[in-house]
Amino acid sequence: MIHYIYDGSFDGLFTAVYEAYYRADNVEDIVPEDSMEENFLVQNIFIPTEGEKASKVYKSIENKISREALRRIFYVYLSELPRHGIIILKYIQLGFKLGAQVDLNLSNDIVLMVNNIYAKVSREQHRMLGLLRFQELENGIFYGVIEPDYNITGLIAPHFASRIRNENWIIHDVKRGIGVFYNKKEWVIRNIKSTDSLIIKEEEEEYQELWKEYFKSIAIKNKINPKLQKRNMPMKYWKYLVEKF
């Protein structure tokens, strides 16, 4: 079995897709470097990222399939699910045969998998827009913590750049150690190694207590339904909410 190993970047994945087309290898999977496992049955081949090759794959998908296909591929990549690389390769191969109609072919297992993963990532993206809470730090920066299943930090950043455009803020994905930094003009994604220097403003804690009291006061006790609350808002998202019961 042959596994292509790439550096984990989107360009790296597309470079591996390019190589899969132009080499005679029968690729069994395309794996990010940090997820690679040694197996004597597997021949790992490292694929160095090349921007020009990645760009050719990007343009080919846009021209031969559709921009919507590009969007779905990107969401599958962000899912970080096992075997997402080979799913993307097979989806692209099918798309080059069927063109823009590929997503209508729901009887195909690959199309179905891409649709399902796309729906899961999209659902978490939209859910996080309503669940993210910011706290003001001593330095005036607003700081929000998330721990999503999928790598959606870059997907939700444009929403908050539009909604909170006049403040400096950080969205910190503690699960992946990355964050979006916004400076009232633009946002970038960077690694975050430590949060030791992040000090929450004293008044912010008072505001949070007030918010908790307000949330309790508006809740009608005999209508509180924990099962419904869990179904609409899974408990894995409660950790960073102020208003949870």
Side-chain angles (χ1 to χ4, degrees), residues 49-234:
T49 297
E50 295 186 38
E52 187 175 345
K53 292 178 179 177
S55 179
K56 287 180 179 178
V57 173
Y58 185 98
K59 290 176 181 175
S60 294
I61 295 169
E62 192 174 31
N63 294 331
K64 295 180 179 178
I65 311 177
S66 66
R67 289 189 63 81
E68 177 60 25
L70 266 177
R71 177 198 296 271
R72 290 173 183 272
I73 288 167
F74 188 55
Y75 277 51
V76 173
Y77 161 75
L78 294 178
S79 77
E80 301 178 338
L81 290 171
R83 295 189 63 77
H84 69 268
I86 194 66
I87 291 172
I88 288 172
L89 173 61
K90 291 183 180 299
Y91 176 74
I92 293 171
Q93 290 172 331
L94 186 65
F96 283 172
K97 292 178 182 176
L98 301 179
Q101 303 299 311
V102 63
D103 291 315
L104 301 179
N105 193 9
L106 294 176
S107 61
N108 183 284
D109 289 343
I110 292 297
V111 175
L112 195 59
M113 279 192 279
V114 167
N115 280 355
N116 287 341
I117 296 171
Y118 175 73
K120 288 179 181 177
V121 177
S122 298
R123 193 156 48 242
E124 184 172 53
Q125 173 195 357
H126 292 297
R127 183 176 282 155
M128 201 59 70
L129 297 181
L131 295 178
L132 177 61
R133 301 289 182 267
F134 287 94
Q135 303 173 72
E136 188 175 4
L137 305 179
E138 284 287 359
N139 56 12
I141 295 175
F142 287 85
Y143 172 74
V145 182
I146 58 175
E147 200 170 339
D149 289 339
Y150 310 117
N151 191 0
I152 59 168
T153 309
L155 295 180
I156 64 175
H159 171 83
F160 292 102
S162 174
R163 294 287 299 275
I164 321 175
R165 65 179 65 187
N166 296 320
E167 302 289 350
N168 294 310
W169 49 257
I170 300 169
I171 299 174
H172 184 187
D173 179 349
V174 295
K175 186 175 180 180
R176 295 169 180 82
I178 61 173
V180 174
F181 295 77
Y182 177 76
N183 64 356
K184 301 182 183 179
K185 295 179 181 176
E186 59 185 3
W187 57 269
V188 295
I189 296 180
R190 293 284 186 271
N191 292 326
I192 297 180
K193 293 181 180 178
S194 171
T195 58
D196 291 346
S197 61
L198 301 177
I199 302 172
I200 298 173
K201 203 172 182 179
E202 188 174 338
E203 295 91 331
E204 175 67 26
E205 295 181 355
E206 295 176 9
Y207 291 145
Q208 289 195 13
E209 289 304 316
L210 287 172
W211 176 247
K212 288 178 184 176
E213 290 302 317
Y214 168 74
F215 189 73
K216 288 178 182 176
S217 68
I218 64 172
I220 301 173
K221 289 184 179 179
N222 59 6
K223 289 190 176 181
I224 293 175
N225 187 338
K227 288 184 179 179
L228 181 64
Q229 195 173 24
K230 289 177 183 177
R231 190 166 67 240
N232 291 331
M233 187 170 59

Side-chain angles (χ1 to χ4, degrees), residues 2-5 26-31 82-87:
I2 293 176
H3 285 185
Y4 279 1
I5 310 300
N26 182 22
V27 181
E28 202 271 335
D29 201 359
I30 301 175
V31 183
R83 295 189 63 77
H84 69 268
I86 194 66
I87 291 172

